[in-house]
Amino acid sequence: LFRLCGQSDLAEDLSQEAFVRVIRSLDRFDERFRFSTWLFTIGKRLLVNHQQKMKPTPDSEVVEYRAGDTRTPAAEVEEAERTGRVTQLVQVALDALVSPQREIVLLFHQQGWSVQQISEELRMPEGTVKSHLFRARRRMLEAIELSGTPNPHEVFR
């Protein structure tokens, strides 16, 4: 969980909650499957739920002018607005993904995992991971284009 979210406190809290849920639901565990996979799935779902609750809302309010900053307040406002647009478009793109595509994209691009690491963790062939990445990127671009952004490639420069 720490590798997925990068926050030790959050990972600890979610791990504890995952174990509590496992203990409460132990009678529903199917012994044909690995216990570790079941536990990881519960923890991962808790993380996804937490991330959805804590979605940041882009804020493009005027940024305070800092003394000694070489940029003008107008340039800072423009940069803040651009950052807000990028954040919003990335969120639109991620919202268009389904699992496991979303998880693979986050592990690859946000956490910096290799295709091989993802393949081992998710227990799927490397070719399948690559295929999910390709399809996810295509779906993300389509979602951004459908969002009405005139030229998404200009926003990400």
Side-chain angles (χ1 to χ4, degrees):
L1 288 174
F2 174 73
R3 284 184 274 165
L4 287 175
C5 71
Q7 301 173 9
S8 60
D9 292 343
L10 176 60
E12 286 179 25
D13 290 345
L14 294 176
S15 296
Q16 288 177 358
E17 179 63 27
F19 277 105
V20 168
R21 289 187 183 201
V22 162
I23 291 169
R24 288 182 185 158
S25 306
L26 203 52
D27 59 323
R28 293 189 299 199
F29 174 65
D30 188 346
E31 293 182 15
R32 293 179 296 166
F33 303 105
R34 293 179 62 175
F35 181 79
S36 60
T37 303
W38 185 52
L39 176 61
F40 183 72
T41 301
I42 292 171
K44 187 170 53 175
R45 287 183 181 156
L46 286 169
L47 176 61
V48 168
N49 290 343
H50 174 78
Q51 288 172 333
Q52 287 175 345
K53 287 179 189 174
M54 304 304 284
K55 270 187 193 173
T57 53
D59 186 8
S60 62
E61 293 296 318
V62 177
V63 179
E64 283 187 33
Y65 178 72
R66 293 181 298 270
D69 196 339
T70 58
R71 296 182 300 171
T72 64
E76 287 189 15
V77 169
E78 185 177 315
E79 179 64 24
E81 288 175 355
R82 182 183 168 286
T83 301
R85 284 194 308 272
V86 168
T87 302
Q88 189 175 23
L89 287 176
V90 168
Q91 194 60 53
V92 164
L94 286 174
D95 288 344
L97 298 179
V98 294
S99 189
Q101 287 179 350
R102 180 183 175 100
E103 180 178 7
I104 290 171
V105 164
L106 290 174
L107 289 173
F108 187 81
H109 289 289
Q110 186 179 39
Q111 299 298 325
W113 285 23
S114 68
V115 170
Q116 181 183 2
Q117 287 174 304
I118 297 170
S119 170
E120 291 170 3
E121 182 67 34
L122 300 182
R123 293 177 180 77
M124 63 176 61
E126 287 184 30
T128 304
V129 172
K130 290 177 183 178
S131 178
H132 279 301
L133 276 172
F134 175 80
R135 290 186 181 124
R137 289 174 183 144
R138 188 173 56 205
R139 181 177 279 166
M140 292 170 76
L141 180 59
E142 289 170 359
I144 289 171
E145 288 171 344
L146 287 174
S147 73
T149 302
N151 190 356
H153 298 287
E154 289 293 318
V155 175
F156 287 103
R157 261 202 229 173

